[in-house]
Amino acid sequence: DQPYEAPDNPDVVVKTVEKSVPECIEQIVQVMQQKEILPRRQEEEGTGELFVAREMVEEVRAEAKKMPGLEVSEVDLQWVQVLSEGWARPLKGFMREKQFLQSQHFNCLLDSAVINQSVPIVLAVTTKDMQRVEGNTDLVLRYRGVAKAVLRNVEFYEHRKEERCARQFGTTNPNHPYIKQVM
C-alpha cells in the first residue's frame, strides 16, 4: 500500500468533523453541478413524493369524504403508489395530455428537461364516469370503496387506446395480455 498523499489543489475540501453527512453530500453535489459533472436539479422537485403532510392527513380525509370519486383497478392503484413515492418523477400525478403525447411520440418528457418516459402513466376513465364527475376539479380515487388518493386540478382528454397500444407494444392484437388491460 502507498501512503496517502493529499492533493496540492483539491476541487473541494469537505470538513467532515464540522458538518453532518447530508451537508457534506450537498457540498460535493454543488461542486459537481458547478463543474457540470452532475446536472443541476430543480430545488422544488425534492424527493418527488406526493404524500399528504402528516399534519394535514385528517383534514384531507374529511375533505375526501365529500368529494366525488372514481373507483380504480388494482393496476391503477399500483400506478398511484409509483407516482406517490416519486418513482415517476417529475410527474406530479397521472399524465396530462401534453405529457401523454410526448411519451407516445418521443418516448420522453420535454418540459423542464429531456426525461426518458416511454411508458404512459394515465388513468383511463369511462365516458360514463367522466360525465358523472364533470365540472369537478378535485376527485378522490377509491379502491374497493376505500379512499386512496386525491387528484387535484384534473384534466380529461381522449385516451387514444389503439394508438397507445400500437406505439407502446407494436401491435393492437386484442389477444395480447396488456392490450386486453388497456382496451
Side-chain angles (χ1 to χ4, degrees):
D1 287 335
Q2 296 288 328
Y4 173 73
E5 294 181 27
D8 294 330
N9 188 18
D11 289 324
V12 62
V13 176
V14 181
K15 300 188 178 192
T16 57
V17 175
E18 300 171 12
K19 295 182 177 182
S20 68
V21 172
E23 290 172 324
C24 293
I25 292 170
E26 185 60 30
Q27 180 184 357
I28 293 168
V29 168
Q30 284 179 358
V31 170
M32 293 177 78
Q33 287 173 336
Q34 288 169 353
K35 296 184 176 290
E36 297 182 352
I37 297 168
L38 287 176
R40 295 190 186 276
R41 63 179 183 264
Q42 294 179 347
E43 293 304 320
E44 72 276 2
E45 204 173 288
T47 63
E49 291 182 351
L50 303 174
F51 296 111
V52 174
R54 288 185 199 273
E55 63 273 7
M56 296 189 65
V57 168
E58 291 309 314
E59 179 183 331
V60 173
R61 279 188 179 144
E63 183 185 10
K65 288 179 183 177
K66 300 173 190 169
M67 278 184 198
L70 298 170
E71 189 69 22
V72 297
S73 70
E74 185 175 359
V75 171
D76 295 330
L77 184 62
Q78 291 166 349
W79 281 120
V80 168
Q81 181 178 0
V82 166
L83 291 163
S84 67
E85 291 178 356
W87 294 106
R89 187 171 50 176
L91 293 178
K92 304 267 188 224
F94 288 100
M95 288 181 166
R96 297 197 165 281
E97 185 174 28
K98 179 179 178 183
Q99 294 166 323
F100 171 69
L101 292 173
Q102 288 175 352
S103 170
Q104 290 295 277
H105 294 275
F106 306 114
N107 292 326
C108 60
L109 301 177
L110 303 169
D111 291 333
S112 58
V114 177
I115 298 169
N116 290 333
Q117 186 67 50
S118 60
V119 177
I121 301 177
V122 296
L123 179 64
V125 177
T126 65
T127 302
K128 182 180 176 183
D129 277 342
M130 185 178 70
Q131 290 169 343
R132 184 176 53 78
V133 298
E134 196 169 23
N136 292 286
T137 57
D138 300 339
L139 300 172
V140 63
L141 299 182
R142 293 185 179 90
Y143 178 68
R144 297 185 178 169
V146 178
K148 295 294 182 178
V150 172
L151 297 182
R152 305 279 186 193
N153 194 24
V154 297
E155 176 185 57
F156 292 105
Y157 53 90
E158 183 183 354
H159 188 179
R160 301 175 183 93
K161 294 176 186 180
E162 293 81 11
E163 178 184 0
R164 174 182 172 189
C165 291
R167 290 181 182 277
Q168 190 173 356
F169 304 112
T171 182
T172 57
N173 184 324
N175 294 319
H176 186 284
Y178 290 112
I179 291 176
K180 284 181 184 179
Q181 288 181 6
V182 173
M183 300 297 227

